[in-house]
Amino acid sequence: MKSFLFYLFILFFCCHTDAQSNNFFKKLLDKKKITIVIQPFDKFPQASANYIANQVKKVYSGSVVVNKPINFPINSLNSTRSRYRADSLIRFLSKNTSSGFLSIGLTNKDISTTKGKYQDWGIMGLGYCPGKSCIASTYRLKGNNQLDKLYKVAIHELGHTQGLAHCPEKGCLMRDAKGKDDLNSLHSFCQKCNAVLTKAGWSLN
Ligand SMILES: [Zn+2]
Ligand SMILES: [Zn+2]
């Protein structure tokens, strides 16, 4: 019995001093963190996709990668061929997103969803709440700081994928835009929203 315990102790001790084992456990822990995939659609500029990726990298502790642009999926244009259906796009992205990943589509085109009596309500972004995909569009963004605004839309939609609903707090990035671009008045996540994101590996102020 004594020698058995000693043997166990040796085994235990070995495990804790073995660098390879440490790496193994580290990899297991890292694996848990979701990788965010930036997916540009059509002719969305690569430089803008990289900008969004770099901004997200500043606030997310997991990996962030930028994919090559892809065509819009067939049938994602609305009946009048004026807007792309955001719900179709996030469904498409979700279907093509493996577990352990989270996709955000980026586009310059107008996107829409059905809202009440409006069949094609133009929006800046849409995301599953919670889920593994969302999309953000520059089309409805006004002014010179379009990329900064796109980042705010992107982070809002990513917030939805993490389970955050719309927030009534003034200035909080999770406020409902209600179709209007008042992104200049949004600066950060409120304390409550921030706490949810911090748990998921985000570090936003
Ligand atoms: Zn929203
Ligand atoms: Zn909030």
Side-chain angles (χ1 to χ4, degrees):
M1 187 61 184
K2 237 185 198 173
S3 63
F4 176 64
L5 279 177
F6 180 68
Y7 182 61
L8 265 183
F9 174 75
I10 296 268
L11 265 183
F12 187 69
F13 187 72
C14 285
C15 266
H16 278 256
T17 53
D18 187 339
Q20 259 186 336
S21 303
N22 278 346
N23 279 341
F24 173 73
F25 287 119
K26 194 176 173 289
K27 269 184 191 159
L28 263 186
L29 285 173
D30 285 348
K31 241 184 161 179
K32 275 188 177 168
K33 262 198 194 126
I34 283 169
T35 296
I36 296 178
V37 180
I38 313 272
Q39 179 60 70
F41 277 104
D42 204 17
K43 292 182 179 70
F44 188 85
Q46 192 71 37
S48 304
N50 290 341
Y51 174 85
I52 299 299
N54 287 332
Q55 292 302 102
V56 173
K57 273 180 198 168
K58 286 181 191 166
V59 293
Y60 183 61
S61 56
S63 304
V64 182
V65 295
V66 182
N67 270 4
K68 290 235 159 71
I70 53 167
N71 292 331
F72 283 102
I74 313 162
N75 299 332
S76 57
L77 254 181
N78 67 353
S79 55
T80 58
R81 305 186 68 78
S82 55
R83 287 170 182 164
Y84 285 89
R85 296 287 307 179
D87 33 17
S88 296
L89 296 175
I90 62 171
R91 205 179 311 122
F92 167 83
L93 287 173
S94 185
K95 247 190 355 205
N96 291 289
T97 303
S98 315
S99 77
F101 292 83
L102 168 57
S103 297
I104 171 152
L106 298 177
T107 178
N108 284 339
K109 296 278 166 30
D110 201 8
I111 56 171
S112 67
T113 189
T114 302
K115 191 176 182 181
K117 60 178 180 167
Y118 301 100
Q119 177 60 28
D120 272 302
W121 178 258
I123 52 173
M124 296 185 285
L126 189 72
Y128 284 115
C129 186
K132 51 183 186 173
S133 66
C134 58
I135 185 146
S137 159
T138 57
Y139 190 87
R140 285 170 186 278
L141 305 176
K142 313 265 185 295
N144 303 324
N145 55 340
Q146 278 209 4
L147 274 181
D148 285 332
K149 285 181 169 180
L150 181 67
Y151 169 66
K152 287 182 183 177
V153 176
I155 211 88
H156 172 106
E157 301 308 336
L158 286 167
H160 279 316
T161 67
Q162 307 296 292
L164 284 178
H166 283 146
C167 174
E169 200 72 38
K170 220 177 165 189
C172 178
L173 286 162
M174 287 315 294
R175 258 177 97 91
D176 187 357
K178 296 198 166 111
K180 278 189 213 133
D181 170 6
D182 59 351
L183 289 154
N184 283 335
S185 67
L186 310 181
H187 301 289
S188 56
F189 288 98
C190 73
Q191 242 181 342
K192 229 168 132 188
C193 294
N194 207 327
V196 174
L197 291 172
T198 303
K199 258 193 191 164
W202 298 78
S203 51
L204 299 133
N205 319 312

